[in-house]
Every structure is written in C-alpha cells, then in structure tokens.
Amino acid sequence: MKKYIVYILILISGLVLGYLFFGTGDVKNGKQETEVADGHDHEGETTQMWTCSMHPQIMQPEPGDCPICGMELIPADANADGLGADEFKMTDNAMALANIQTITVGGGGEVENTLNLSGKIQVNEEANAVQVAYFTGRIENLNVNFTGESVNRGQLLATIYSPELVAAQQELLTAAKMKESQPALYNAVRNKLKLWKLSDAQINAIEDAGQIKQNFPVFATVSGTVTEKLVQEGDYVEQGQPLFKLANLNSVWAVFDAYENQISGLEEGQKIMVTTNAYPDKELEATISFIDPVLNTASRTLRLRAVLDNKNENLKPGMFVRAKLQRNTGQEPQSTLSIPKTAVLWTGERSLVYVKTSRDEPVFEMREIELGATLGETYEVLSGLEGGEEIVTNGTFTVDAAAQLQGKKSMMNQGKEKEDAAEMKMNLPDTFQKDFTGVLSAYFDLKDAFVNTNSEDVKAVASKMLQRTENLKVANLGAMETQHLTKIKSMLEAILENDDIENQRDHFIVLSENIIAFASNMETLENPVYIQHCPMVNNNKGANWLSLSEEIRNPYYGEVMMNCGDTQREL
C-alpha cells in the first residue's frame, strides 16, 4: 500500500514540476507571441500628422488649433492627396474668418452690344491759342497774373519796353516829315510797325503826338481762359516768345480709352451718351469725332473723343466722365459669360480669378482669363472660364495669400520656380512715387522690428506704415497697382490683429513681395535698396525682403539665424 502511495506522490510531483517548467514557458511564449504580433501591428501603422491650411510649416502629431492663427488643423496628407499641382485647400474655419464667398458662373444673358467707357474732360486743342510777344523787350507790367483767368479779345495783357520799338518810332517821326518827298520810305516805316502788330490807330497816334512812347501795350488777339502763364513781370522776352496759353472752353473734349477687344464696331460719327461724376443726373448726347489710329501698346487701349458743348462752362478739364454707346457689330445679340469685377485680380497684362475646383471641399486654383467689355459692375469673359464653374468673388486677396504661402500659383508666383516681384511692370505717377517713399521708410523700420523679434514694436511700426499707405493718392493708379496696394493694406491689418511674432512674419512675407513690386518700378530712390533672400523660410520655399544695407540681417529668424540669406540685387 505504501508502495502505491509513493508512486502517486511521485506522479503528482512530476505533474507539478512539468506545469511549472513547461506550462509557464507556454504562457510566456504565448505572451511573447502576442507582444510580437502587437509590435508588428504598430510597425505597420503610419503616424498621422496635422497641419494648418494657412501655415503649412506647422506640423503636429495630434489635432487641435494652429498655434499661429488659431485655425483648426487638418490632416497633413489630406491637404495634398488627390489635388492637382496648382490646387490648394483651405479649412471651413479659414473660409468663414475671411468671409470668402463664391458664385457659379452662368450665362450673363444676352449682350445688347452696349459698351461703357471711362474717360476725362480735356481742353479742346482745336480752340487753343498761344499769345506771343511780337517784339523784343522787357515786361514792365503784367495785367494777367494767374491761370484760369478769363481774357477777352483786345484786352490789355502786358506793357513792354522795347529799344527796337523806340528806334522804329524815331524812324516814323523822321519819315513823316519827308512823306511828301519820299512816300515809299514813309510807307515802309509804317509797314514795319504793322509787322509788330501795331494798329493804324496806334501808328497815327504816335505820328500826331510827335513823341516817342517808351512802353507799348500787348493786347489779346483771341478770347479764352488762361491755361498756362509762361512769363513773369520783369522778364526779358524775345520776338515770338509765348507769353500765355489760352483755351476757349465754350467747347471741350471728352476723351475715352477703349480696350483692344472693344474696338470692333466703333466708328466716327457714332452717337454716345455722356455723363459726369459732377452731374450724374445730366446726360449729354454727342458723337465720336476722332478715333486714334495708333494703339497704346503699354495699356492696350485706343483713345477716342467727342466734342461737348460747354457754353455755360460747367464741364471742367480733368473731370471724370462715362460714356455709353452701342457697338455697330451688325450681329444679333449673343449669350455671354459675365463675372463681377470683385472676382478679378490684375497682374500686368493678365486677368486672374480663383476657381473652386471641388463642389464639396474648399479647394481652389488660380486661373488666367481673357476679359471683354465692361458691362456695368461686371466683365464679359471671352475665354478661360466655362458656364457652371465656381469662382471666388469676396476674400480674393486672402485666397491669393494662402496660395502664395503654400507655394502655389498666385499673383506674385505664377508657377515660376522662383518668385520675382521685381520684374513686375507698373505705371506709377511721379506724385505717387514721391509719396510712396514715406511708406518705404516705414517698411524698413518694420523690417528692423522683425530683426529684433519684438512683436509690440512690429505692431507700432505696422500701424504707422498702414496710415501712410492709406494717405496715398490712388486716383491715377491702374487696376493692377490699386489691387497690389490693397493687398499691402490687408497684410498690415493682419499684422496688427495678431500678437504672435511668427504669425506676423508669415504676413510680412506677402507684404514684402508687394512692396518689392512697387519699389522696383520707382524711377528714383533716395538711397540704394537691396533685395535679399532667405531660402529656408516659408517651409523651405524661400522669401524675400528689402534692406538699406548689404549686410544680411534676417527679419524672418532674427537672432536665431541672423545671417541666413544673401543679397539678390540692388535697385
């Protein structure tokens, strides 16, 4: 019996030991196998990164808000997968904050072949006259002293002392004593005085008085308004030298610019209806009297004019006017595409819009289009868009800034390998260039504030620069120049609205490109100005800025990488 008990104990002990050694090992192996499997699964997963549609340099491992602008982050791969080379995506939050609005392009109805043209009132050059001095001498008295003064024919304009005229009077008095014996000499002397525009009455008065007049009057030969005063009292004038320019304002020219694609159907003698900004309720009927035979190659426009009656002189040279006319195309009205003027961005000779390429998502792409006639507050579209496409009509500059920051085609970067705002051609009036130097001065202070990485100084200088920008006179700027100036204001406002220095620097990128475009087209700069470039900023896309010194002081990194960059060129 004891023998069996011993066998049973040995069997139980064996089972226990087997479990301890082999069973634990199996559990351990099972656990190891599970761990290996789990590890294999983790290796197969891809870490999802999140970015900002407005600031693609932001990369975070989890969703949240952009640390720069506060917008909701989106999956990094979702911003690129399935998009074309020139497409980019914005978030719904960004769309709402910028108040971006779109419309679907459709038929604009039937075009009634009506053209709306803009122009100015100008002096009728056919009624212009120049009052000249008919003899050499010194102006003793000037009776007309300012431009705009009305002058009547026969009115005294000035008195002149002329040594030549004094000598000629002496010859007259001497010849008068011998006119019976030498009538030919007497007549020759009188004719000489008549060539100097002395009348028979004046000559007879000299002869009857028997005395020489020291100063002779100059009378107006025509009636009109003084448009230019060319001399001052005390000036010495030569024979034939202009004294005044006179214009008869009883009739004036209304001069309009027609674009190249608007020329067809325009002809002399065509009826037009003209209105002025000064008298918007008064419509004047006129006819086209002249069409310039030469096209302005810079603006691609042709000038045409009409003569307007102005006996009451309500129309002043320089006034803005509008004209409405019917094109003589000889065709039936046709259906056309039209888009709002607010949708169009101008860059040089190009017209650009942003097309929403996805029905369900805020994906955009810049598109170059060709415009036709101006139809009220809309443009006729000749090519580049199709009916049913959706375009941005409000917040266009914000969309353009997003495209530029993401390295997509934009106003400043139209698919080139390297942005070159310095090559953009602008037409800047002399007065605008003079005033813009104050904006440039503030820009250099703003650049220095970024170099010092001082957000408060940045906002203070940006406020000063914005005020100077708003004070610029823009009446004579073209559409492209005006839009770039608007973009400068929008970037300055964005800098003022943000306290984060990195957010401010992002907007400084776009601001600098627009400032470079203006500075590159200024004929004279007070000091040498250098275009400098950092290749690492803007998510390694690079960015430019202007500096008064060749020394590199990087506004995008400050003391972190103060000397990063190089000088591209000198303006």
Side-chain angles (χ1 to χ4, degrees):
M1 185 66 178
K2 293 181 179 179
K3 181 178 179 181
Y4 290 109
I5 294 173
V6 171
Y7 288 153
I8 292 171
L9 290 174
I10 292 173
L11 178 62
I12 293 172
S13 298
L15 292 173
V16 171
L17 290 175
Y19 174 78
L20 289 176
F21 285 101
F22 297 101
T24 305
D26 291 340
V27 171
K28 288 182 179 178
N29 289 339
K31 183 178 181 182
Q32 288 172 355
E33 289 175 1
T34 303
E35 289 177 355
V36 170
D38 290 344
H40 177 73
D41 289 342
H42 285 302
E43 287 177 2
E45 292 179 358
T46 301
T47 303
Q48 175 67 63
M49 299 297 291
W50 299 78
T51 186
C52 174
S53 62
M54 290 293 290
H55 304 95
Q57 68 269 31
I58 298 299
M59 286 289 175
Q60 293 187 357
E62 57 186 18
D65 293 332
C66 174
I68 295 178
C69 64
M71 294 184 184
E72 182 183 357
L73 297 180
I74 62 174
D77 54 349
N79 195 41
D81 285 352
L83 299 185
D86 297 321
E87 292 180 327
F88 60 97
K89 187 175 182 180
M90 299 179 66
T91 65
D92 293 334
N93 193 22
M95 295 275 290
L97 288 173
N99 192 26
I100 295 171
Q101 299 174 11
T102 63
I103 65 166
T104 300
V105 179
E110 290 187 344
V111 178
E112 299 177 355
N113 294 326
T114 300
L115 277 184
N116 293 303
L117 303 177
S118 299
K120 285 184 179 181
I121 295 293
Q122 294 185 9
V123 170
N124 185 347
E125 295 179 8
E126 294 175 342
N128 280 359
V130 178
Q131 183 70 50
V132 300
Y134 294 104
F135 42 83
T136 301
R138 183 180 66 248
I139 299 177
E140 295 295 318
N141 293 296
L142 203 59
N143 295 78
V144 176
N145 296 305
F146 58 89
T147 58
E149 188 171 350
S150 296
V151 171
N152 296 317
R153 182 175 181 178
Q155 180 179 332
L156 178 65
L157 299 178
T159 55
I160 298 178
Y161 167 73
S162 173
E164 292 181 357
L165 203 53
V166 169
Q169 291 178 80
Q170 184 60 58
E171 291 177 4
L172 173 65
L173 296 178
T174 302
K177 296 176 182 179
M178 300 182 295
K179 65 180 177 180
E180 296 297 334
S181 59
Q182 297 188 35
L185 175 62
Y186 172 72
N187 290 329
V189 172
R190 287 182 67 94
N191 290 333
K192 179 180 179 181
L193 292 172
K194 288 181 180 180
L195 292 175
W196 284 331
K197 295 298 181 180
L198 269 66
S199 65
D200 285 329
Q202 288 178 302
I203 296 172
N204 291 336
I206 296 170
E207 189 176 337
D208 294 341
Q211 293 182 352
I212 296 173
K213 295 181 66 173
Q214 296 295 323
N215 300 326
F216 260 81
V218 177
F219 297 105
T221 56
V222 295
S223 298
T225 301
V226 177
T227 57
E228 193 171 355
K229 178 186 170 190
L230 302 172
V231 292
Q232 301 292 334
E233 195 169 283
D235 287 352
Y236 191 85
V237 295
E238 298 290 339
Q239 182 178 1
Q241 180 177 334
L243 304 176
F244 304 96
K245 288 185 178 180
L246 304 175
N248 188 336
L249 298 181
N250 287 334
S251 66
V252 291
W253 284 349
V255 180
F256 303 95
D257 290 323
Y259 287 101
E260 188 175 2
N261 52 25
Q262 298 174 329
I263 295 173
S264 64
L266 297 180
E267 58 185 28
E268 293 184 15
Q270 197 170 346
K271 296 290 184 182
I272 63 173
M273 302 304 296
V274 180
T275 56
T276 67
N277 290 350
Y279 309 102
D281 298 330
K282 187 175 182 181
E283 200 169 44
L284 305 173
E285 184 176 341
T287 58
I288 299 176
S289 59
F290 177 78
I291 299 178
D292 199 326
V294 179
L295 186 77
N296 185 324
T297 56
S299 62
R300 310 304 301 175
T301 59
L302 196 68
R303 291 178 38 155
L304 57 93
R305 68 171 181 252
V307 179
L308 300 178
D309 181 74
N310 190 37
K311 291 181 180 178
N312 54 11
E313 297 191 2
N314 287 335
L315 302 177
K316 314 295 184 184
M319 277 185 174
F320 288 105
V321 291
R322 297 183 299 275
K324 184 186 296 183
L325 67 154
Q326 301 291 327
R327 288 186 293 183
N328 297 327
T329 59
Q331 300 176 359
E332 293 296 324
Q334 299 177 354
S335 178
T336 185
L337 291 178
S338 60
I339 60 174
K341 290 182 177 179
T342 56
V344 181
L345 295 173
W346 299 89
T347 169
E349 297 178 357
R350 295 181 175 89
S351 307
L352 309 173
V353 296
Y354 276 96
V355 179
K356 187 170 180 286
T357 55
S358 173
R359 288 287 184 186
D360 303 322
E361 298 184 62
V363 177
F364 301 95
E365 179 183 20
M366 192 190 78
R367 182 86 59 80
E368 182 177 336
I369 62 173
E370 182 182 358
L371 297 178
T374 301
L375 308 170
E377 293 302 315
T378 64
Y379 290 121
E380 177 186 2
V381 179
L382 301 180
S383 64
L385 283 176
E386 299 292 338
E389 289 191 293
E390 193 173 352
I391 63 171
V392 177
T393 57
N394 190 67
T396 318
F397 285 111
T398 302
V399 176
D400 186 74
Q404 186 173 342
L405 287 171
Q406 295 187 40
K408 303 297 183 179
K409 289 175 66 176
S410 66
M411 287 177 70
M412 287 297 185
N413 177 22
Q414 298 185 45
K416 299 178 182 178
E417 290 183 3
K418 186 177 180 181
E419 300 177 6
D420 198 357
E423 298 300 323
M424 182 173 289
K425 299 301 179 184
M426 291 184 172
N427 183 19
L428 305 179
D430 293 339
T431 53
F432 178 87
Q433 293 187 41
K434 181 179 179 181
D435 294 340
F436 196 78
T437 56
V439 177
L440 270 181
S441 176
Y443 169 84
F444 293 125
D445 292 340
L446 183 63
K447 186 267 298 182
D448 291 339
F450 277 116
V451 169
N452 296 328
T453 316
N454 190 318
S455 176
E456 291 303 317
D457 284 354
V458 164
K459 293 179 71 172
V461 179
S463 177
K464 177 178 69 174
M465 185 176 175
L466 178 60
Q467 183 177 4
R468 292 183 181 181
T469 305
E470 290 176 338
N471 290 335
L472 291 172
K473 297 178 178 64
V474 299
N476 296 324
L477 287 185
M480 178 192 70
E481 292 81 1
T482 302
Q483 288 189 341
H484 281 284
L485 199 62
T486 301
K487 198 164 188 180
I488 288 175
K489 294 178 184 177
S490 130
M491 292 300 102
L492 288 170
E493 289 169 351
I495 290 173
L496 288 170
E497 291 171 358
N498 291 279
D499 296 321
D500 184 88
I501 191 70
E502 298 306 324
N503 181 292
Q504 293 171 334
R505 279 170 168 155
D506 282 336
H507 292 97
F508 187 67
I509 294 173
V510 183
L511 173 69
S512 293
E513 289 301 327
N514 285 271
I515 289 290
I516 289 171
F518 278 101
S520 301
N521 285 275
M522 294 180 66
E523 296 178 358
T524 56
L525 293 168
E526 295 178 352
N527 300 293
V529 175
Y530 303 94
I531 299 178
Q532 296 177 335
H533 179 80
C534 173
M536 296 180 63
V537 76
N538 194 19
N539 203 25
N540 291 324
K541 297 183 180 71
N544 298 331
W545 73 91
L546 289 180
S547 175
L548 292 173
S549 171
E550 285 190 88
E551 179 187 2
I552 299 297
R553 293 177 60 81
N554 193 312
Y556 300 116
Y557 288 114
E559 61 183 9
V560 176
M561 286 191 291
M562 182 67 74
N563 305 119
C564 176
D566 63 343
T567 297
Q568 300 284 304
R569 58 178 284 195
E570 177 183 347
L571 298 181

